Amino acid sequence: MAKYRQVHVEFWQDGFVLDLTPEEKYFYLYLMTNSKTSQCGIYELPKRIMETETGYNRETVDKLIHRFEEYGKISYHEPTREIMILNWTKFNWINSPKVTSLIKKELENVKYQGFVQLFITKCKEYGYGIDTVGIDLGEEREIEIEREVEEEREEEVKNIPFSEIIDYLNSSAGKKYKSSTNKTKTCIKARWNEGFRLDDFKKVIDTKTTEWKTDSKMSQYLRPETLFGNKFEGYLNQQTKPKTDDPYDQLF
């Protein structure tokens, strides 16, 4: 069945929206109309998906999320990758048994119970009636969610291709790093948890190997802690450019 999200024509005359930048308006519309949205206004939306669908890089996505949290429009829960549009209930409530039944089912699948509690609080605040008897809001459900999140994280770690990444680095850069080293695995895992995947690692390795391998000063930095550190996304999006007089300008 087709799924639609409606935006009221007065959206463009809203005082808050009028003060937004074009970039913010686009992102705000995206949060209200993307394919992951739900009837309750709480849904899972990994940042990697936001990047792919909006065309923004991770830095811009993080900046916009933080900005809209400061505006009091959304809340983002990093561990479960769930977002809540805080005023969704106020402007999108439909008082029908079919819709309230759908909302209850959605709430039962929300992992972060803090969002469920907040949703119910807002329903009471706006005078909306919703039966919460069938929704588990207790400690048992909280423990279950935490266990599910932890299991997901453990499963993700099992699927990280540590060996393939390091083998590719060694082959490209002529190194002999081990994929079993804790420091190396920590760097790779950190980037993997941010949503980067094997092709991204290979691209960074290719980019920096081409740039640094024949440079006697920079070749020493073709190592996991440098390539897969905090500047990883910058390296990934780096444009090929002529070598400068200062070989360290891309390192720090």
Side-chain angles (χ1 to χ4, degrees):
M1 185 177 71
K3 186 176 179 181
Y4 301 93
R5 289 287 175 248
Q6 297 180 341
V7 178
H8 200 284
V9 294
E10 292 183 359
F11 171 85
W12 300 105
Q13 281 76 49
D14 182 84
F16 170 74
V17 174
L18 287 172
D19 288 336
L20 296 178
T21 66
E23 180 182 62
E24 291 173 330
K25 290 176 182 176
Y26 170 58
F27 190 68
Y28 198 26
L29 274 174
Y30 169 73
L31 294 180
M32 295 187 290
T33 60
N34 71 80
S35 62
K36 304 293 184 182
T37 57
S38 65
Q39 193 64 46
C40 67
I42 304 169
Y43 55 91
E44 187 172 338
L45 186 62
K47 292 180 179 179
R48 188 61 168 167
I49 297 298
M50 295 189 215
E51 292 178 68
T52 301
E53 294 185 336
T54 64
Y56 291 144
N57 59 31
R58 179 60 59 86
E59 182 180 358
T60 301
V61 168
D62 284 335
K63 176 190 68 177
L64 288 168
I65 288 175
H66 179 66
R67 194 174 296 171
F68 277 93
E69 284 182 322
E70 288 187 330
Y71 292 157
K73 298 298 182 181
I74 68 169
S75 181
Y76 192 81
H77 190 245
E78 292 279 0
T80 60
R81 302 169 186 171
E82 291 175 309
I83 191 168
M84 179 177 185
I85 301 178
L86 300 177
N87 59 358
W88 183 266
T89 307
K90 183 177 181 180
F91 297 106
N92 292 276
W93 183 263
I94 299 176
N95 191 22
S96 79
K98 183 177 290 188
V99 172
T100 54
S101 176
L102 173 61
I103 290 175
K104 284 183 63 177
K105 288 181 180 179
E106 291 178 344
L107 292 177
E108 290 170 3
N109 291 322
V110 173
K111 295 178 180 179
Y112 179 46
Q113 291 303 289
F115 283 165
V116 178
Q117 294 280 9
L118 181 56
F119 178 88
I120 293 173
T121 298
K122 286 186 173 294
C123 282
K124 293 178 179 179
E125 179 184 334
Y126 301 139
Y128 301 149
I130 182 170
D131 180 14
T132 60
V133 174
I135 304 174
D136 187 353
L137 302 175
E139 182 178 351
E140 185 176 329
R141 175 59 175 161
E142 190 73 31
I143 294 174
E144 181 183 344
I145 294 299
E146 290 178 357
R147 184 170 60 250
E148 290 176 359
V149 171
E150 186 60 33
E151 288 176 354
E152 288 180 3
R153 287 175 176 171
E154 291 177 357
E155 189 63 30
E156 285 185 356
V157 171
K158 291 180 182 177
N159 294 327
I160 298 176
F162 294 107
S163 295
E164 190 169 353
I165 292 171
I166 295 304
D167 287 347
Y168 190 82
L169 170 60
N170 289 336
S171 175
S172 300
K175 303 292 184 177
K176 295 182 179 180
Y177 291 108
K178 294 182 179 180
S179 60
S180 58
T181 304
N182 287 333
K183 188 174 183 180
T184 294
K185 294 179 72 173
T186 297
C187 291
I188 294 175
K189 181 181 176 183
R191 304 292 79 79
W192 194 271
N193 287 342
E194 291 176 347
F196 298 106
R197 292 299 179 258
L198 180 60
D199 287 344
D200 298 321
F201 284 90
K202 287 185 175 181
K203 183 178 180 182
V204 167
I205 292 170
D206 288 340
T207 298
K208 304 315 289 184
T209 298
T210 299
E211 183 180 358
W212 291 346
K213 187 175 181 180
T214 58
D215 189 311
S216 59
K217 292 183 179 180
M218 300 303 294
S219 61
Q220 63 179 309
Y221 296 110
L222 289 172
R223 58 190 185 186
E225 58 263 43
T226 298
L227 299 178
F228 312 143
N230 293 331
K231 291 183 70 66
F232 183 87
E233 187 174 17
Y235 294 153
L236 181 63
N237 291 283
Q238 179 181 325
Q239 299 296 319
T240 303
K241 62 181 182 179
K243 184 177 178 182
T244 64
D245 294 334
D246 183 2
Y248 293 92
D249 66 347
Q250 287 294 325
L251 182 62
F252 303 106

